Amino acid sequence: MQGTDLGGAGAAPERVAPAAAGSLITVEGLAKHYRVHQRSAGVAAALRSLLRRRWETVRAVDGISLSIAPGERIGFLGPNGAGKTTTLKMLAGLLHPTAGTVSVGGFRPAERSRDFLHAITLVAGQKQQLLWDLPPADTFELNRAIYEIPRPVFRQRLDELVELLEVGEVMRRPARQLSLGERMKCELAAALLHRPRVLFLDEPTIGLDITMQASLRRFIATYNERHGATVLLTSHYMADVAALCPRIVVINHGRIIYDGSLPQLVRRTRPEKRVELHLERAIPRPELEALGARLVSFEGTQAVFHVEQGDLKRLVTQALAALPVVDLSVADAPLETVLADLFAATPAPAAPGSPAVVAPP
Amino acid sequence: MSVAVAVWWPLRLARLLAALLRVGLAQALAYRSEFIVWLLTTNMPLVMMLLWTTVAKDAPVGRFGQAQFGAYFLLTMAVRLLTGSWVVWEMTMEIRQGTLARRLLRPVHPFLAYCAEQAAAVPLRLLIVLPLLVVMVGWLGTGQLSREPLHWCLLPLALAGAWALLLSLMLLIGALALYWDSAISLFELWLALYFVLSGYTIPLELFPAGLRAVVTWLPFRFVLSFPVELALGLPSVGAALAALAVQWLYVLALFVAALTVFQRGLRRYAVFGG
């Protein structure tokens, strides 16, 4: 039987949101609005814009609240421009919020205090931290000095990271000569030498092949379990969040539209199970329709039904008894489909201050 | 502040600076070819030297005969090569592309890192400047140079001041890029004025008296002409001390302004998706 692995690395609890009292990260009504210059294409528009500029306010993040407990692994999901990276940047102290409050380990990130910067790290798949023309070993050494890591501790941590990430060979070659995967592993090693308590990972697996993605996911899970670090991850790869994050936060148009576990999201958005039958031979369509479930596709010897959870057992039993079934699989709807449904159900807010957020059940 | 903190803090800073300088030097060495070619493109003083020595062929211009012009422009070239920086281009690019984030995430002020990176390139700059000075002494002897010991005592401070002044100005213009995408054009404006008012193309002594009185106290002189004047022994000891004080006041004012603009600019800094 095949199905979508929704549990992933950690068996996902139904509802993971912790009590605010035990939280490491608290966000209340966080917003980031940008004022951007607007003009149409063409020379005439360019000349007009010299005399009269048109500005538009983009509400990149528009009032989000959440609470994250120490050691949690959270995935931020959302389409491009939804506000995921902006949120992450505000949590990491790179952007000052337009409104709202953020507390990370008791610090206000925008102040970028020394202790705060010692406690966090941010790794972005599309931005490199490594010194481009020097071997990663030089970046590691620089970080040792910057974070004032005693040399024996540094050696021990580096050995651990080098072993987990398998970068012993590559760390002595100039960063610009490394493959994307090798570079990403070295980025992670450089970012974790100071043993941060909070990891902000912004699309860390972007552009990597499947094997390398899996390898990085394993590393992140191991690091989280070994050191109890809190992980906040954004990714467009569903496999990343499914494997790593017991809790997901879905953001669209700058607002949280879901906060909870993946299985629960799937059940809520697409409660029907997908039942796929492979038959020994082609049979007339009415024989399939006679099963009394919604037949969504039928081609050759393959039929797909969507069925309510409560009706699943009956359908499977009847199909096995009545039809020449050679294989049968039951799965939840694909995550991509679930999210597409969810995004489609939350159009952009018409006006500022309109009611926010589809609250989790 | 406790005694332990008072002792440890400078030690920690020194260790950090040493690490930043090491990496800066390694980076400068990685870029050695581009760096040296870039330094060698600074040939304007040679052009001006040819021009002015021709003008002074029959009679000196003010206090400047051929040998004085030769020494002046070779020293001008040496000071420019030694005290240059490129931080304004680096900073504006990092702000535009969002890669400034890399520096902001580290518990070290980005200005400290920028300064260390620029300082780390000074040894490479010396590699170009020292042969130039050897050529100068071989050609003109030491007759044109100052005989006043205090001038030579002040020279390292004046050179450091010239380096720090240009760096601070670059940091200020770089910080303005947090507000204004085209801030680099301010540096172009600075360069246009600098070519005329710093002594780069004409010794400031040869300016008309009224203009000279103004130019003497503008910042342009202190990034180039002032150290050259000291090496040639042109100013009196009193004037040299006053100029040094003004130079470092400029450094302080520009650095504080740069720091203030940077800290405030970060509040509104926003790079989409960067």
Side-chain angles (χ1 to χ4, degrees):
Chain A
M1 186 181 280
Q2 69 185 50
T4 312
D5 178 15
L6 296 173
E14 281 297 283
R15 179 77 178 90
V16 197
S23 66
L24 180 74
I25 299 174
T26 315
V27 177
E28 287 289 340
L30 186 67
K32 181 71 186 177
H33 298 168
Y34 297 103
R35 202 162 157 256
V36 291
H37 175 214
Q38 288 268 314
R39 79 162 173 84
S40 314
V43 177
L47 290 172
R48 267 200 307 278
S49 80
L50 287 177
L51 300 172
R52 192 162 163 227
R53 297 208 125 195
R54 274 176 47 222
W55 295 92
E56 189 190 1
T57 299
V58 174
R59 309 163 86 82
V61 173
D62 201 14
I64 68 171
S65 301
L66 64 134
S67 173
I68 299 167
E72 269 197 278
R73 294 197 302 256
I74 295 193
F76 281 69
L77 290 173
N80 285 329
K84 309 180 297 290
T85 300
T86 307
T87 304
L88 224 55
K89 282 181 169 180
M90 285 194 278
L91 292 178
L94 290 176
L95 290 177
H96 285 241
T98 310
T101 57
V102 189
S103 165
V104 176
F107 298 102
R108 216 169 68 81
E111 289 172 359
R112 293 176 45 252
S113 73
R114 202 174 153 276
D115 289 344
F116 168 73
L117 294 173
H118 270 264
I120 64 141
T121 198
L122 184 147
V123 176
Q126 290 175 307
K127 289 269 154 65
Q128 52 132 14
Q129 311 267 332
L130 297 172
L131 299 162
W132 186 243
D133 286 289
L134 301 182
D138 280 344
T139 305
F140 301 159
E141 186 59 29
L142 177 66
N143 283 6
R144 185 195 67 73
I146 286 176
Y147 291 101
E148 299 176 278
I149 308 165
R151 206 167 272 283
V153 177
F154 169 74
R155 181 54 37 210
Q156 183 199 339
R157 287 181 189 172
L158 186 61
D159 287 348
E160 182 196 342
L161 289 166
V162 163
E163 187 198 327
L164 278 174
L165 288 161
E166 299 163 340
V167 290
E169 289 295 311
V170 300
M171 62 186 261
R172 314 224 170 266
R173 297 211 301 262
R176 67 183 141 79
Q177 288 174 1
L178 302 182
S179 73
L180 183 61
E182 290 169 340
R183 212 159 66 221
M184 208 53 226
K185 285 178 164 185
C186 290
E187 291 279 353
L188 273 170
L192 297 176
L193 277 171
H194 63 285
R195 194 62 54 89
R197 286 188 291 138
V198 185
L199 275 57
F200 299 108
L201 307 176
D202 188 17
E203 301 186 36
T205 56
I206 196 161
L208 301 182
D209 65 45
I210 290 175
T211 318
M212 192 61 85
Q213 284 180 26
S215 160
L216 281 193
R217 281 199 287 272
R218 271 196 307 276
F219 168 76
I220 293 164
T222 307
Y223 187 86
N224 159 264
E225 282 154 14
R226 201 177 276 187
H227 302 295
T230 307
V231 178
L232 282 80
L233 169 93
T234 75
S235 181
H236 285 296
Y237 299 129
M238 294 306 146
D240 281 351
V241 279
L244 274 174
C245 304
R247 177 180 170 193
I248 62 159
V249 170
V250 184
I251 300 181
N252 198 14
H253 304 301
R255 296 174 178 204
I256 294 178
I257 55 173
Y258 179 79
D259 182 351
S261 74
L262 260 184
Q264 196 180 17
L265 171 67
V266 174
R267 274 199 299 278
R268 207 192 69 175
T269 313
R270 280 281 185 121
E272 292 174 325
K273 291 278 185 185
R274 184 176 189 275
V275 178
E276 189 173 328
L277 302 179
H278 288 266
L279 304 167
E280 197 175 29
R281 61 179 189 280
I283 58 169
R285 191 180 177 95
E287 283 188 41
L288 288 165
E289 288 171 343
L291 290 173
R294 190 153 68 90
L295 180 63
V296 290
S297 82
F298 177 39
E299 282 175 29
T301 57
Q302 188 182 337
V304 177
F305 292 93
H306 281 181
V307 61
E308 295 289 341
Q309 177 79 41
D311 199 26
L312 178 66
K313 192 172 168 190
R314 181 201 63 77
L315 175 74
V316 171
T317 312
Q318 276 190 10
L320 289 173
L323 303 173
V325 176
V326 290
D327 193 14
L328 180 149
S329 67
V330 179
D332 287 310
L335 279 176
E336 285 78 2
T337 314
V338 171
L339 286 170
D341 286 356
L342 189 62
F343 298 152
T346 53
S354 55
V357 181
V358 178
Chain B
M1 192 190 285
S2 73
V3 176
V5 172
V7 172
W8 275 105
W9 187 81
L11 200 65
R12 280 168 50 194
L13 183 67
R15 271 199 211 134
L16 175 62
L17 267 176
L20 289 171
L21 286 170
R22 270 200 304 274
V23 168
L25 184 61
Q27 279 184 300
L29 286 172
Y31 284 116
R32 58 196 174 275
S33 314
E34 295 92 326
F35 186 67
I36 288 171
V37 168
W38 185 61
L39 290 183
L40 292 176
T41 57
T42 306
N43 53 15
M44 177 70 100
L46 296 180
V47 176
M48 297 319 292
M49 183 177 73
L50 285 175
L51 186 79
W52 282 104
T53 48
T54 309
V55 171
K57 196 174 172 188
D58 298 323
V61 183
R63 280 200 278 175
F64 287 79
Q66 276 191 309
Q68 283 87 353
F69 273 126
Y72 178 87
F73 282 109
L74 287 176
L75 284 171
T76 299
M77 190 167 167
V79 171
R80 173 119 205 254
L81 290 174
L82 195 60
T83 60
S85 286
W86 63 86
V87 76
V88 70
W89 292 283
E90 192 174 3
M91 214 173 150
T92 45
M93 191 184 73
E94 287 183 0
I95 288 170
R96 244 184 131 91
Q97 299 182 346
T99 47
L100 181 71
R102 184 184 71 182
R103 296 180 189 274
L104 295 177
L105 284 168
R106 290 178 170 158
V108 171
H109 197 284
F111 276 21
L112 187 65
Y114 282 129
C115 293
E117 283 163 24
Q118 299 301 317
V122 171
L124 266 186
R125 293 175 175 278
L126 268 173
L127 278 182
I128 300 282
V129 168
L130 287 176
L132 181 72
L133 294 177
V134 170
V135 168
M136 186 190 80
V137 171
W139 175 37
L140 299 165
T142 55
Q144 313 305 321
L145 302 178
S146 174
R147 306 245 174 264
E148 168 59 55
L150 192 74
H151 281 153
W152 294 104
C153 293
L154 296 183
L155 185 62
L157 292 173
L159 284 170
W163 178 83
L165 205 163
L166 182 63
L167 186 70
S168 301
L169 177 91
M170 285 189 167
L171 290 173
L172 175 60
I173 293 176
L176 285 169
L178 291 166
Y179 298 82
W180 183 33
D181 286 345
S182 311
I184 192 79
S185 57
L186 286 177
F187 193 71
E188 306 294 331
L189 178 67
W190 158 271
L191 276 181
L193 294 169
Y194 164 90
F195 281 136
V196 183
L197 303 176
S198 68
Y200 193 51
T201 46
I202 311 167
L204 297 184
E205 270 202 25
L206 304 182
F207 274 52
L211 187 57
R212 197 170 71 210
V214 177
V215 167
T216 302
W217 302 111
L218 292 181
F220 306 99
R221 174 189 174 214
F222 299 104
V223 292
L224 188 70
S225 176
F226 175 51
V228 176
E229 291 166 25
L230 282 180
L232 293 174
L234 299 181
S236 68
V237 167
L241 284 170
L244 190 71
V246 172
Q247 183 191 44
W248 280 94
L249 278 176
Y250 269 123
V251 172
L252 190 68
L254 283 170
F255 192 80
V256 169
L259 209 54
T260 310
V261 170
F262 185 76
Q263 292 303 129
R264 292 198 177 175
L266 282 184
R267 280 186 218 151
R268 63 188 301 285
Y269 179 46
V271 177
F272 262 107

